[in-house]
Amino acid sequence: MFWKFDLHTTSHIDQLLDREDVTLRELMEEDDVLQECKAQNRRLLLFLSQDHCMQELVSLITTEPPADLEERSRFKFPNIACELLTSDVSIINDKLGGEESLLEMLYHFLEQDPPLNPLLASFFSKTIGNLIARKTEQVITFLKKKEGFIGLVLKHIDASAMMDLLLRLISCVEPAPLRQEVLHWLNEEKLVQRLTELIHTGKDEERQSNASQTLCDIIRLSRDQANQMQENVEADPLLAVLESQESVAGLLKNMFEGERSEASIVNGTQVLLTLLETRRPGLEGLMDLYSQGYERSYTVNSSILNAIEPHLKDFQQLLLDPPKKSAILTTVGVLEQPLGNARLHVARLVAALLQTSAPTICQELCNLATIDLLLDLFFKYSWNNFLHFQVELCVAAILNHPSSEERTSDPQTSIHNALVAHLFQKCRLVQRILDAWEENDKIQAEGGTRRGNMGHLTRIANMVVQNLEKGPVQAQITDLIKELPEDCRGRWESFVDETLRETNRRNTVELVSTHNMHSSSEDDDMESPFPNDLSLQQAFSDYQIQQMTANFVDQFGFNDEEFIFNLTVCVCSQANAAAFEACCKERIRQFDDAEEEEDIWEEKEINYATQAKSRTR
């Protein structure tokens, strides 16, 4: 057996450690130094944990390497030093977290003038982050004594590594009482307010972007952790500030104060969209809007909506007069006035606001005719599918609102009915669908290209038809259709019965033929792991967009025991069937005569010489 042979080879690192004059750099040159460190090579760990070695390792990750070195090898040793310091070995963690002089060396990195070297910043952030997770109390105590710590981190927020450091402080501190203490400390340092101040026209775009992303991540992390905690746990102070009307109003003031810039509008709107999230991004999307009665993971705080409502007119003005952008060349020609990221984010915000069904918001959107304006942009920018999707979400949110029969006591029902009427009367949704379809048919008849928004227009038309047949506002839509001019009503009925039906038929593609497929189970009553009405196409689509989370199997609807592959062999002719059976019998015949075969379990003398000779042939 293998253990009878002494195949152990002495590591070259051990041979180097036998020398009294060995240096840290010599050890770091070895390819297996990280492997030996993580394998708890005691001699190596004792060497690395010496004061002069630890100081050199920290210096490597916080000091800019000489510029005259070859670029390929310039950051070789800083990278190895970072990996050694974050190898999660207790003796190194204890030394680094317990020696204040080493923590001071690390902290001094933040005191440099910006900009920081992005690689060194990532090494620093990774090292401090590891200490926050492993030596929590020591590191938090040290950082809290530094009055300017948060200010220094925000000064370097243009480096994404600083953003990661802040998030580690929020998410990696355990136990819960200590985490709550850290959150209160960060709140006392006015972290949220200081990040919000960075989203301003006069600030650098990279700093604005990272500040916005940090706020978004704080919101999501805080909400997730609040859901996991018990109800009697104290509320997250950072989340409470972020959701307050004062904080949201301050963010909106920064976005629209002075000269408007696309960066501040986009970054600010991203924070608003995160505050308005009713569940984490992932599987939800248009299909969720079409389904009714889904449960929300989070409830939108009314203070957020109260702060946004007075600024809806400012967002409306952005749709009319966006920040100036130069013309761009696209595959379909020159676009003199691009839609722009600012207007796209306004469309996203309107879609999110409509999903809240807040009465005052819906009323103000009606008064401003925002939906009408978004439909104008939908048809004007016929190749911008990002915009088309947001407009489709807006229409879906309006049509899938609970009906008045279900919410008779809700005062917002009449306001929402007014929004539905606004969509069909003021926005002329049906007429626009018909006109755009006829215009597209004319373009294609003349040899032109089908417009890029026709797919989304088809889905919107189907949405209207589905809600006419069965939906929360079926009765109201039916009445609104009857109120259309007679010629328009006739065109709509002809369009639904002929054009739309034919379009849907062409768009319905069967991925595989299922007429020859049958269950391999002998129990016909066994319940399928998939819903009966779920098509193969939808199952595959769900699989594509499914996030690979720990509960992936439960979410998708089957597990290893339930997953059955149905192998169906289709025999097209009797000749093929006969040939197939003959082949199978020929294969089986080779194993039928058991008496002639050698018993593999029979005890017999083994001739190693014969076997060795046969291997050498």
Side-chain angles (χ1 to χ4, degrees):
M1 293 299 174
F2 292 113
W3 55 83
K4 291 184 179 181
F5 304 97
D6 184 12
L7 299 178
H8 176 71
T9 57
T10 304
S11 170
H12 190 241
I13 287 181
D14 287 328
Q15 297 176 10
L16 288 174
L17 291 170
D18 290 336
R19 291 171 35 199
E20 294 184 0
D21 60 344
V22 65
T23 64
L24 177 63
R25 293 294 181 107
E26 287 180 290
L27 290 171
M28 293 174 73
E29 288 281 7
E30 295 299 314
D31 293 337
D32 58 346
V33 63
L34 292 176
Q35 179 181 344
E36 289 292 317
C37 179
K38 294 180 180 180
Q40 306 282 332
N41 184 320
R42 182 161 181 78
R43 294 183 65 195
L44 175 61
L45 294 179
L46 289 174
F47 180 88
L48 293 176
S49 60
Q50 295 179 85
D51 289 344
H52 72 278
C53 288
M54 292 296 293
Q55 290 173 4
E56 186 174 352
L57 289 172
V58 173
S59 177
L60 280 169
I61 67 169
T62 57
T63 306
E64 188 88 18
D68 57 349
L69 292 178
E70 186 181 357
E71 192 65 29
R72 184 174 58 180
S73 59
R74 189 171 174 227
F75 289 95
K76 174 185 176 181
F77 288 116
N79 181 53
I80 296 174
C82 176
E83 293 299 321
L84 289 171
L85 291 172
T86 59
S87 57
D88 205 16
V89 177
S90 58
I91 189 172
I92 293 179
N93 289 339
D94 292 343
K95 184 73 174 180
L96 189 56
E99 292 283 344
E100 190 160 330
S101 60
L102 295 174
L103 292 176
E104 288 286 355
M105 286 183 66
L106 278 170
Y107 186 81
H108 181 66
F109 178 75
L110 289 175
E111 297 174 338
Q112 303 178 46
D113 294 330
L116 297 175
N117 182 290
L119 265 179
L120 293 182
S122 67
F123 297 153
F124 166 83
S125 176
K126 184 177 180 180
T127 304
I128 288 287
N130 180 69
L131 290 177
I132 290 172
R134 300 304 179 193
K135 309 298 294 182
T136 309
E137 291 190 17
Q138 296 94 318
V139 175
I140 295 300
T141 301
F142 172 81
L143 294 177
K144 288 176 69 175
K145 290 190 298 185
K146 299 293 185 180
E147 294 184 1
F149 170 67
I150 298 299
L152 289 174
V153 172
L154 295 180
K155 183 175 76 172
H156 300 296
I157 197 67
D158 55 317
S160 58
M162 296 300 106
M163 176 176 64
D164 297 336
L165 176 57
L166 286 175
L167 297 177
R168 284 183 177 274
L169 277 172
I170 293 169
S171 61
C172 295
V173 175
E174 294 292 345
L178 182 57
R179 177 181 177 272
Q180 201 68 22
E181 182 183 328
V182 171
L183 293 177
H184 279 290
W185 167 53
L186 294 174
N187 191 41
E188 290 169 3
E189 293 287 328
K190 298 190 178 299
L191 175 62
V192 170
Q193 293 88 333
R194 293 162 82 171
L195 283 168
T196 302
E197 285 298 320
L198 293 176
I199 305 176
H200 195 278
T201 302
K203 303 296 182 180
D204 176 71
E205 290 190 12
E206 193 68 30
R207 292 166 64 82
Q208 290 191 56
S209 176
N210 286 348
S212 170
Q213 187 60 52
T214 303
L215 289 172
C216 293
D217 289 339
I218 290 174
I219 295 167
R220 293 186 178 119
L221 285 171
S222 298
R223 285 176 172 174
D224 286 348
Q225 291 184 345
N227 282 352
Q228 296 168 8
M229 300 294 182
Q230 298 177 355
E231 292 183 0
N232 56 357
V233 175
E234 185 181 353
D236 188 320
L238 295 181
L239 182 60
V241 171
L242 273 164
E243 292 183 335
S244 68
Q245 185 169 343
E246 180 184 1
S247 178
V248 178
L251 173 63
L252 288 161
K253 179 183 176 183
N254 289 346
M255 291 168 58
F256 293 107
E257 191 175 52
E259 184 181 354
R260 294 173 304 169
S261 71
E262 185 171 84
S264 61
I265 292 166
V266 168
N267 291 311
T269 305
Q270 285 176 345
V271 178
L272 297 176
L273 288 169
T274 307
L275 287 169
L276 293 172
E277 282 179 0
T278 54
R279 66 172 79 182
R280 286 295 298 275
L283 281 179
E284 72 275 23
L286 193 59
M287 291 305 296
D288 284 330
L289 290 176
Y290 288 173
S291 63
Q292 302 169 18
Y294 64 83
E295 295 183 0
R296 293 175 173 178
S297 299
Y298 315 119
T299 302
V300 177
N301 197 315
S302 60
S303 59
I304 301 170
L305 300 173
N306 292 337
I308 293 175
E309 183 193 344
H311 290 275
L312 287 177
K313 61 181 183 299
D314 296 319
F315 288 108
Q316 173 87 350
Q317 187 59 32
L318 279 174
L319 293 176
L320 293 168
D321 182 24
K324 301 300 180 184
K325 297 183 72 68
S326 57
I328 59 174
L329 179 62
T330 70
T331 54
V332 292
V334 177
L335 195 58
E336 295 294 341
Q337 187 182 12
L339 176 73
N341 210 6
R343 287 199 282 187
L344 177 61
H345 273 72
V346 173
R348 292 182 60 197
L349 181 64
V350 172
L353 288 170
L354 285 170
Q355 291 175 47
T356 67
S357 300
T360 55
I361 296 290
C362 292
Q363 184 65 58
E364 186 66 12
L365 290 175
C366 272
N367 295 339
L368 294 171
T370 305
I371 307 302
D372 191 30
L373 184 52
L374 284 176
L375 284 169
D376 287 341
L377 296 175
F378 178 95
F379 293 107
K380 178 179 180 180
Y381 295 96
S382 60
W383 297 99
N384 194 318
N385 289 152
F386 296 107
L387 171 66
H388 304 155
F389 179 65
Q390 297 306 320
V391 175
E392 185 181 349
L393 290 179
C394 291
V395 176
I398 295 172
L399 297 182
N400 286 277
H401 187 273
S403 64
S404 56
E405 289 79 4
E406 297 173 1
R407 304 170 64 104
T408 53
S409 61
D410 195 335
Q412 75 182 52
T413 302
S414 60
I415 296 177
H416 185 79
N417 288 343
L419 189 60
V420 175
H422 175 80
L423 180 64
F424 283 87
Q425 294 174 344
K426 170 67 176 176
C427 301
R428 301 174 62 252
L429 178 63
V430 170
Q431 293 93 324
R432 289 194 190 214
I433 293 173
L434 296 173
D435 292 344
W437 207 285
E438 290 171 2
E439 187 175 351
N440 178 75
D441 287 345
K442 181 180 178 182
I443 292 173
Q444 286 191 277
E446 295 173 353
T449 305
R450 181 175 184 262
R451 286 187 168 179
N453 57 6
M454 293 305 294
H456 288 279
L457 194 64
T458 303
R459 291 160 67 109
I460 291 174
N462 281 323
M463 221 187 301
V464 174
V465 173
Q466 290 165 10
N467 279 275
L468 267 170
E469 296 172 352
K470 181 181 179 181
V473 287
Q474 177 189 10
Q476 185 183 5
I477 296 178
T478 302
D479 292 339
L480 290 169
I481 294 294
K482 290 179 181 178
E483 294 174 6
L484 293 173
E486 185 176 349
D487 62 327
C488 181
R489 191 167 64 251
R491 288 169 60 203
W492 171 255
E493 292 172 355
S494 175
F495 168 77
V496 171
D497 293 338
E498 300 174 9
T499 308
L500 186 61
R501 186 188 301 274
E502 175 61 20
T503 300
N504 290 333
R505 187 193 65 78
R506 290 199 309 265
N507 290 342
T508 303
V509 179
E510 192 176 86
L511 293 181
V512 293
S513 176
T514 59
H515 65 278
N516 284 325
M517 297 183 67
H518 58 84
S519 173
S520 61
S521 172
E522 296 179 359
D523 187 1
D524 294 335
D525 297 330
M526 180 178 291
E527 184 179 353
S528 170
F530 292 106
N532 292 332
D533 59 347
L534 186 63
S535 67
L536 292 175
Q537 183 176 2
Q538 184 59 47
F540 182 67
S541 175
D542 288 346
Y543 173 77
Q544 286 181 308
I545 63 174
Q546 171 68 50
Q547 289 181 321
M548 299 302 292
T549 57
N551 57 348
F552 167 70
V553 173
D554 295 334
Q555 291 180 359
F556 193 70
F558 53 78
N559 54 36
D560 291 341
E561 289 76 22
E562 294 172 339
F563 197 110
I564 303 173
F565 284 101
N566 297 327
L567 181 61
T568 302
V569 180
C570 297
V571 182
C572 300
S573 64
Q574 292 183 352
N576 287 341
F580 179 78
E581 291 177 3
C583 180
C584 291
K585 290 178 180 179
E586 181 65 26
R587 296 283 184 178
I588 294 172
R589 190 178 296 116
Q590 299 175 13
F591 302 98
D592 283 345
D593 192 0
E595 295 180 356
E596 298 179 1
E597 289 189 5
E598 178 183 13
D599 186 355
I600 62 174
W601 303 109
E602 181 183 359
E603 294 186 3
K604 58 186 175 228
E605 181 182 358
I606 300 176
N607 190 329
Y608 290 102
T610 304
Q611 292 185 11
K613 183 177 179 181
S614 65
R615 289 194 188 99
T616 58
R617 292 176 183 172

